[in-house]
Amino acid sequence: MLLSDLIADLRLDLSDPGASLFEDQTLERCVRKAVFRVGRDLDQSLTITAGEITPDPTGEVRELLVIMAQIHACQVMRSATANAFSFSSGDKRVDKTGQPGHWAKLEADLLVDYRQRLTELRPATQLDQEAYILTPSGLTPVIYEQGIDLDVVE
């Protein structure tokens, strides 16, 4: 599947066929992030090579890619609208301060849908809020106490 085909589907699902909200470069980044995450969640090796996603995602895997890309697009819009303003002059009023909250709500709804579809596709998958934090193993804390001299071996 071509990356551009998935971006076109994403643009339709985001109701942005005229590219008024998202630039192609932004949506490409969202799709690239989605390919990595969905591949990891499905325990598949999805890669993008020369503008093509391999192996070819079909059916539910393709839908998971689009949903995850939408989630990333919502995150982009939350950042872009975070400094929205409220302005009033006389009887006219413009209030854009609610936009980040609306994007956050859409992101949360899409994440619920993604998780539900993923567990239907892979029932053994355990999803929890902290599942996407990478924690290296074998780390131990180093505790320094004031006044302790360490012998340096040379």
Side-chain angles (χ1 to χ4, degrees):
M1 159 185 260
L2 292 175
L3 191 63
S4 58
D5 292 342
L6 199 59
I7 291 171
D9 289 348
L10 176 60
R11 195 172 285 290
L12 284 175
D13 285 359
L14 290 169
S15 300
D16 188 31
S20 59
L21 288 175
F22 299 96
E23 295 178 6
D24 285 337
Q25 184 178 4
T26 303
L27 291 184
E28 181 179 338
R29 174 72 177 136
C30 292
V31 169
R32 286 181 182 277
K33 290 170 69 174
V35 167
F36 171 74
R37 179 139 174 208
V38 171
R40 185 180 62 196
D41 287 345
L42 293 175
D43 199 24
Q44 292 181 0
S45 179
L46 294 173
T47 59
I48 301 173
T49 308
E52 189 170 345
I53 302 169
T54 54
D56 190 26
T58 57
E60 194 65 22
V61 175
R62 182 181 175 133
E63 287 304 309
L64 284 174
L65 284 171
V66 172
I67 292 170
M68 184 53 67
Q70 284 179 302
I71 290 169
H72 290 303
C74 288
Q75 293 169 346
V76 168
M77 288 306 290
R78 283 176 57 197
S79 295
T81 59
N83 59 355
F85 62 90
S86 175
F87 176 77
S88 63
S89 175
D91 62 339
K92 303 211 189 289
R93 179 176 167 91
V94 176
D95 187 2
K96 295 186 176 188
T97 58
Q99 288 181 354
H102 295 301
W103 285 107
K105 171 90 170 79
L106 178 58
E107 179 185 347
D109 292 345
L110 288 167
L111 190 55
V112 167
D113 186 29
Y114 176 82
R115 288 179 173 164
Q116 178 183 353
R117 287 175 181 236
L118 184 61
T119 52
E120 288 172 3
L121 197 58
R122 292 193 64 204
T125 303
Q126 295 292 325
L127 294 174
D128 88 53
Q129 294 286 355
E130 305 299 321
Y132 299 108
I133 296 176
L134 300 176
T135 307
S137 61
L139 293 179
T140 56
V142 177
I143 301 172
Y144 293 99
E145 293 183 23
Q146 191 174 12
I148 295 179
D149 292 327
L150 298 175
D151 293 328
V152 179
V153 178
E154 291 181 31

